[in-house]
Amino acid sequence: MQQKVIIDELESLRGIAALLVVVFHIPKWNPILDFGMINNGYVMVDLFFVLSGFVIYRAYHGRINSGKELLKFQLLRLGRLYPVHILFLLVFLIFEFGKYLAATKLGIVSPNSTPFANNDFVAFIKNLFLVQAVFPNQTLTFNNPAWSISVEFYTYFIFALLIWVFSRYVKFIFPIISMVAFLLLMTSSTYGFDYLLRCLSGFFAGCFVVQVIGYKSIELPKFAPTLPFISIILYMHLKPFGEMDLYIVPLTMVLIITMLQARDSKFKALFRHRFLVFFGKISYSIYMSHLAVIWVTTQFFRVALNKSEVIGHNGKSVSVLSPLETILAISFVFGSVILLSLIVYNVVEKPFRTATRALLKNW
């Protein structure tokens, strides 16, 4: 029997994770935004990596058996990721020119960044070739969330190369890569390759989950997925910011296994609801577009409304809003991100992905 290409439960998890990343990047306009689930939303990127490794390996193991198939696989990944990445790279380039004109012509100076200081020509070229987070000790530039796309694209290549050259041994190689990357991160022995190692650890952990499920299929009780799901919520809410980040990797592995191996339940049915699946479908566009919406919203408070500002925990200036203003601002950000993401998905992401598949179908 052919495997289902898209697993709704995991698609919904991806959507929820994308929305948590959005909330994480929203400035702390009010203390109501300062609590664990929001502050630790950045670990959802590692959850993305694990899900990606699971989905990609499940779809492609045994299918990459030549250099031609490797190239075809990589071009499909490029068609999936690159168009949306380029779109928002250009959007942030426009923002940079806007900041420059505002500073030189209108005397409006950003308290948090100097135009074309970090987002310079070299940074643009790195983003253009998706290497902005691959090299060691890199500063995030332009559309910051794209760092994960950078390391994931080259992790795809490593994955495909290993599948082609060492197909009989990947069941040992994949967990070893994940574990070594995990240990290097845990011991802070990264030599500046933190971003790449985070992707390697999570992605190949996801590949290992495919192997675990394929090794021995065991039907788990209905309540099984609720335990790791609640554990992830408690972990994100209680863990100190910047500490114990990598624990999300094994927690996500257990969540995927239990979600797929447990008997059907109302909990699993909830994750198959089309509302949550919808967010999963547009999750990549949400992830890539949200910072642009947040940037525009921030400039509105700073320039148009001239809101008073304070220095936040991250050392950057942030507007001060009342609780009601904060709720309205968050509602605006979420509504705008979802609307923009839906447009980007239908106009850019889906058409380019379809065109790439059609172009390579008979090659």
Side-chain angles (χ1 to χ4, degrees):
M1 181 180 294
Q2 187 177 9
Q3 289 179 315
K4 185 180 178 183
V5 177
I6 296 176
I7 302 173
D8 289 342
E9 293 90 338
L10 302 188
E11 193 81 345
S12 296
L13 282 177
R14 194 189 302 273
I16 294 170
L19 295 175
L20 283 171
V21 173
V22 175
V23 182
F24 167 73
H25 281 128
I26 291 177
K28 297 292 187 288
W29 292 317
N30 189 277
I32 64 173
L33 291 174
D34 189 15
F35 68 95
M37 278 290 292
I38 291 178
N39 296 339
N40 291 312
Y42 63 93
V43 301
M44 290 293 97
V45 178
D46 299 276
L47 182 144
F48 286 145
F49 291 149
V50 180
L51 283 175
S52 182
F54 176 85
V55 172
I56 293 294
Y57 185 46
R58 182 174 176 271
Y60 283 96
H61 71 280
R63 291 178 53 188
I64 303 174
N65 48 33
S66 67
K68 178 182 175 180
E69 289 298 325
L70 186 154
L71 181 59
K72 184 177 178 180
F73 166 81
Q74 201 67 13
L75 288 174
L76 285 170
R77 298 300 94 207
L78 188 68
R80 169 77 169 87
L81 301 176
Y82 201 66
V84 178
H85 166 64
I86 286 296
L87 171 64
F88 285 99
L89 176 60
L90 294 176
V91 167
F92 275 86
L93 182 62
I94 292 171
F95 288 168
E96 209 66 20
F97 277 110
K99 288 192 291 183
Y100 175 78
L101 292 175
T104 57
K105 303 297 183 182
L106 304 175
I108 302 174
V109 179
S110 171
N112 294 326
S113 62
T114 302
F116 296 108
N118 289 327
N119 296 335
D120 56 12
F121 177 74
V122 173
F124 182 82
I125 295 301
K126 288 179 179 178
N127 278 267
L128 196 63
F129 288 95
L130 280 174
V131 296
Q132 70 269 29
V134 175
F135 299 121
N137 302 312
Q138 293 297 298
T139 301
L140 300 184
T141 56
F142 290 99
N143 190 22
N144 288 1
W147 75 263
S148 65
I149 308 305
S150 166
V151 292
E152 193 162 1
F153 180 73
Y154 292 99
T155 297
Y156 288 149
F157 178 77
I158 295 171
F159 161 84
L161 184 64
L162 291 173
I163 288 285
W164 173 32
V165 179
F166 301 106
S167 58
R168 289 192 294 180
Y169 305 103
V170 292
K171 62 182 179 181
F172 306 112
I173 295 173
F174 287 171
I176 289 174
I177 292 176
S178 177
M179 185 60 67
V180 169
F182 188 92
L183 292 175
L184 289 173
L185 287 163
M186 288 290 288
T187 58
S188 298
S189 305
T190 62
Y191 304 98
F193 288 98
D194 299 69
Y195 295 131
L196 180 59
L197 288 171
R198 280 176 65 183
C199 186
L200 292 173
S201 176
F203 184 90
F204 286 107
C207 294
F208 182 55
V209 170
V210 178
Q211 298 170 340
V212 170
I213 292 176
Y215 175 70
K216 191 172 184 180
S217 180
I218 301 175
E219 189 177 59
L220 299 174
K222 292 181 178 182
F223 66 84
T226 61
L227 299 179
F229 185 78
I230 293 173
S231 297
I232 289 175
I233 293 175
L234 293 174
Y235 156 79
M236 290 184 63
H237 184 65
L238 298 175
K239 89 173 192 66
F241 177 80
E243 299 179 21
M244 301 184 294
D245 294 346
L246 289 175
Y247 294 172
I248 189 63
V249 172
L251 285 171
T252 304
M253 294 172 69
V254 175
L255 179 59
I256 293 173
I257 293 171
T258 54
M259 192 71 84
L260 299 184
Q261 299 294 95
R263 294 197 300 273
D264 204 12
S265 64
K266 291 182 179 180
F267 182 80
K268 289 181 65 173
L270 175 64
F271 283 85
R272 292 196 298 269
H273 194 283
R274 61 182 182 180
F275 180 74
L276 288 180
V277 175
F278 162 76
F279 287 116
K281 183 174 71 171
I282 64 170
S283 59
Y284 178 56
S285 291
I286 289 175
Y287 181 73
M288 295 297 286
S289 69
H290 74 274
L291 208 60
V293 173
I294 292 172
W295 189 90
V296 171
T297 307
T298 300
Q299 305 318 306
F300 175 75
F301 291 134
R302 175 172 293 141
V303 179
L305 299 185
N306 197 25
K307 286 288 186 179
S308 59
E309 298 189 344
V310 296
I311 302 300
H313 299 310
N314 58 2
K316 293 187 176 182
S317 180
V318 59
S319 299
V320 178
L321 306 183
S322 69
L324 178 59
E325 289 172 328
T326 301
I327 292 172
L328 291 174
I330 293 172
S331 300
F332 172 79
V333 167
F334 268 93
S336 301
V337 167
I338 292 169
L339 178 60
L340 178 60
S341 300
L342 188 58
I343 294 171
V344 170
Y345 175 80
N346 285 299
V347 176
V348 180
E349 181 184 346
K350 185 178 178 180
F352 273 92
R353 185 172 60 189
T354 303
T356 305
R357 287 174 177 170
L359 185 65
L360 297 173
K361 183 177 180 180
N362 297 318
W363 181 41

